[in-house]
Amino acid sequence: MPARAFSLLPPRHGLARVLSKAGLASRTVAAAWVRAGRVSVNGRVVRDPEHPVRVGLDAVAVDGRPLAVAERVYLALNKPRGLITTADDEQGRDTVYRCLEGAGLPWVAPVGRLDQASEGLLLFTNDPGWAAAITDPRRGPDKTYHVQVAGVPDEAVLAAMQDGLEDRGERLSAKAVRLLRSGGRTAWLEVVLDEGRNRQIRRLAAAAGFPVRRLVRVAIGGLVLGALPKGAWRYLEAREVAALRG
């Protein structure tokens, strides 16, 4: 039997993906660049975002400039309530990028999401591999939230939220739930998630009979929001970036 031949060439990837992985733009924006004729491969303009490219072998250029990996940037933002976690909102609502205006940053994308009514720690980066590690549902870091609910749940309710409750045919649960403090009509809970389903905490609390009044993400893994002012952002330190990667 003849020996199997192994290729030493790097694998092919779609052109828009290659531009995004280099940290230059989102894949959607990169695809628009390609369709507009701004990108060439080996000296020839290519208009197909899925055109196969071998990174390191094929010469890719954007607006005539050779492709270079952008300097990796890692940010933490204290997201205010009312902002949409997207680059461009079809309804014209303010987005989280309002907080980054005028900073002279390269393209960065949110790592995961916080819905419009939620607040707190939101990460940004132009490193897709790092972002994927943070959002991985099996190996990514836990996310910790402080949640104000209507009413004061007892220990039985907290245990039920942790064990799991049904919502529209889906079983929702939290890794940990505990009471932080309570008043006469509301209570603050600490909720830890090791997965991220759509509006998971809001749905879980509502299923328990205690609707959410306010939701603040206070930590991702060992990275805490701390005293970062609302609407402000900061660069992550190298040790923080490494620790979140796991």
Side-chain angles (χ1 to χ4, degrees):
M1 181 180 295
R4 180 180 296 177
F6 290 92
S7 174
L8 297 179
L9 295 174
R12 290 188 175 96
H13 297 293
L15 181 54
R17 180 187 178 193
V18 169
L19 296 174
S20 177
K21 290 289 186 182
L24 299 183
S26 69
R27 195 177 299 190
T28 300
V29 170
W33 291 353
V34 175
R35 295 190 187 99
R38 296 176 57 186
V39 183
S40 65
V41 179
N42 298 323
R44 180 174 65 87
V45 172
V46 172
R47 295 180 183 270
D48 177 10
E50 299 303 320
H51 179 84
V53 172
R54 293 191 190 274
V55 178
L57 289 184
D58 292 319
V60 179
V62 180
D63 295 333
R65 301 187 187 92
L67 177 66
V69 175
E71 180 183 0
R72 296 308 191 190
V73 175
Y74 309 88
L75 310 176
L77 167 72
N78 185 351
K79 175 193 174 296
R81 187 172 185 170
L83 299 184
I84 308 297
T85 306
T86 186
D88 185 28
D89 181 63
E90 295 178 353
Q91 301 179 40
R93 294 170 295 182
D94 283 339
T95 77
V96 290
Y97 286 90
R98 189 186 74 181
C99 300
L100 307 180
E101 289 176 354
L105 294 167
W107 169 78
V108 289
V111 181
R113 288 182 177 274
L114 285 173
D115 65 34
Q116 183 179 12
S118 298
E119 313 164 49
L121 184 58
L122 182 63
L123 304 178
F124 288 79
T125 189
N126 59 356
D127 183 343
W130 185 79
I134 303 302
T135 56
D136 187 292
R138 292 174 297 175
R139 296 182 293 273
D142 293 343
K143 284 78 175 179
T144 304
Y145 302 80
H146 287 178
V147 184
Q148 185 186 39
V149 297
V152 182
D154 59 22
E155 289 298 326
V157 171
L158 300 182
M161 292 176 65
Q162 187 167 318
D163 292 341
L165 296 169
E166 294 287 333
D167 177 63
R168 288 167 285 178
E170 186 177 8
R171 190 163 185 81
L172 303 173
S173 63
K175 183 175 181 178
V177 184
R178 69 184 182 94
L179 180 67
L180 292 175
R181 60 186 182 274
S182 64
R185 297 182 179 179
T186 65
W188 278 92
L189 312 179
E190 181 176 85
V191 181
V192 180
L193 299 182
D194 55 6
E195 59 178 350
R197 303 188 193 185
N198 184 40
R199 298 176 64 83
Q200 183 171 348
I201 294 176
R202 294 182 186 279
R203 294 168 59 198
L204 179 61
F210 295 86
V212 169
R213 294 281 184 85
R214 189 177 172 195
L215 191 153
V216 185
R217 183 156 63 194
V218 297
I220 298 175
L223 180 70
V224 298
L225 180 62
L228 186 65
K230 191 166 296 187
W233 63 271
R234 69 173 179 86
Y235 290 106
L236 297 186
E237 299 176 10
R239 61 176 179 81
E240 295 173 322
V241 172
L244 285 171
R245 193 189 303 271

